[in-house]
C-alpha cells in the first residue's frame, strides 16, 4: 500500500502550538490539503503564508463544542470530505507533590487536553468514517502509563485522552477509519534548537520525528493500525 498522503484533506487542531507547525510543514510537503485551527489567528496566518496553497485556517476556541462542529462541517462542505484529524492541542502544569497540586491545574489541563479532544472527535467522527480511510491521531506522553508524583494532574489528563482515543478506535472498527496515539517524551522543536544552539536536548523527542510518524499513520500504509500506541521516546 502507498505511504503517500498526497491529496488527503487533513485537519490539525492546535496547529499554531509548539508541535503544530512542524507537523503542518511535513503534511504540506506530502501534498495534503490542510485545514488549520487554533486560537491565535495571527500565528495561523503566518503559518499559512509560509506553507502557501492548499491551506486554510480557522481561528476558534475548541472548548466550544458548537464551534468545533461548525469547523468540521465547514471543512467537509468546502472539500467534499475529510481524511484525517491531528489533535495537537497541548500544555503542561505540574512540578509539585500530589498533595500540593491545585485544583485549578487539573481544571485547566482537563479542558485543554480532554474536552478539546472530545469536542473535535465528536465533530469529525462521522466524516472520518464516511471517508472510508479516515485517520484520527493524538500525541500523548509516557506519563499516561507511568505517572510521576509531580505530574499527577497532567498524567491523569493524558490518560483520559488516551482512553477516549482508544474508545474512538473501537467505534471505527470495520469502517476503514482508525484512531491511534503517538507517545513521546518532552518535545524539542526547530525553534527551540535555534534559541538554544548549544543544548543537547538529551531524552527529548524531535518534532520532526513525531511529524514523520503522523504522516505515516495518516497514510494507507497504516490502514491496519487502529487503537495502537506508537512509542517514539
Amino acid at each position: 500500500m502507498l505511504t503517500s498522503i498526497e491529496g488527503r484533506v487533513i485537519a490539525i487542531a492546535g496547529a499554531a502550538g509548539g508541535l503544530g507547525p512542524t507537523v503542518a510543514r511535513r503534511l504540506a510537503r506530502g501534498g495534503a490539503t490542510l485545514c488549520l485551527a487554533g486560537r491565535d489567528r495571527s500565528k495561523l496566518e503566518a503559518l499559512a503564508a509560509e506553507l502557501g496553497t492548499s491551506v486554510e485556517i480557522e481561528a476558534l476556541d475548541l472548548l466550544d463544542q458548537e464551534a468545533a462542529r461548525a469547523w468540521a462541517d465547514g471543512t467537509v462542505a468546502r472539500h467534499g470530505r475529510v481524511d484525517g484529524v491531528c489533535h495537537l492541542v497541548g500544555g503542561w502544569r505540574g512540578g509539585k507533590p500530589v498533595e500540593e497540586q491545585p485544583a485549578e491545574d487539573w481544571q485547566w489541563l482537563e479542558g485543554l487536553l480532554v474536552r478539546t479532544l472530545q469536542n473535535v472527535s465528536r465533530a469529525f467522527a462521522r466524516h472520518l468514517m464516511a471517508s472510508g480511510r479516515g485517520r484520527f491521531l493524538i500525541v500523548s506522553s509516557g506519563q499516561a502509563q507511568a505517572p510521576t508524583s509531580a505530574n499527577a494532574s497532567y498524567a491523569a489528563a493524558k490518560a483520559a485522552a488516551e482512553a477516549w482515543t482508544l474508545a474512538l478506535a473501537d467505534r471505527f472498527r470495520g469502517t476503514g477509519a482508525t484512531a491511534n496515539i503517538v507517545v513521546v517524551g518532552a518535545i524539542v522543536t526547530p525553534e527551540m534548537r535555534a534559541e538554544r544552539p548549544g543544548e543537547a536536548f538529551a531524552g527529548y523527542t524531535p518534532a520532526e520525528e513525531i511529524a514523520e510518524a503522523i504522516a505515516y499513520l495518516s497514510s494507507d500504509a497504516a490502514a491496519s493500525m487502529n487503537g495502537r500506541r506508537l512509542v517514539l521516546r
Side-chain angles (χ1 to χ4, degrees), residues 83-140:
D83 305 306
V85 177
C86 303
H87 185 272
L88 305 181
V89 179
W92 177 84
R93 285 185 183 177
K96 296 180 179 180
V98 171
E99 68 274 16
E100 295 179 17
Q101 292 188 18
E104 291 77 13
D105 281 4
W106 165 254
Q107 292 163 358
W108 184 79
L109 288 163
E110 187 271 339
L112 194 69
L113 304 180
V114 182
R115 276 188 286 134
T116 64
L117 170 62
Q118 293 173 330
N119 290 343
V120 170
S121 61
R122 281 192 290 246
F124 279 96
R126 62 188 175 91
H127 299 307
L128 292 173
M129 288 187 284
S131 165
R133 57 177 189 169
R135 305 286 184 262
F136 192 93
L137 301 163
I138 70 165
V139 174
S140 189

Side-chain angles (χ1 to χ4, degrees), residues 58-70:
E58 190 80 31
L60 75 162
D61 184 356
L62 293 171
L63 285 170
D64 184 335
Q65 182 173 328
E66 291 309 312
R69 194 172 300 280

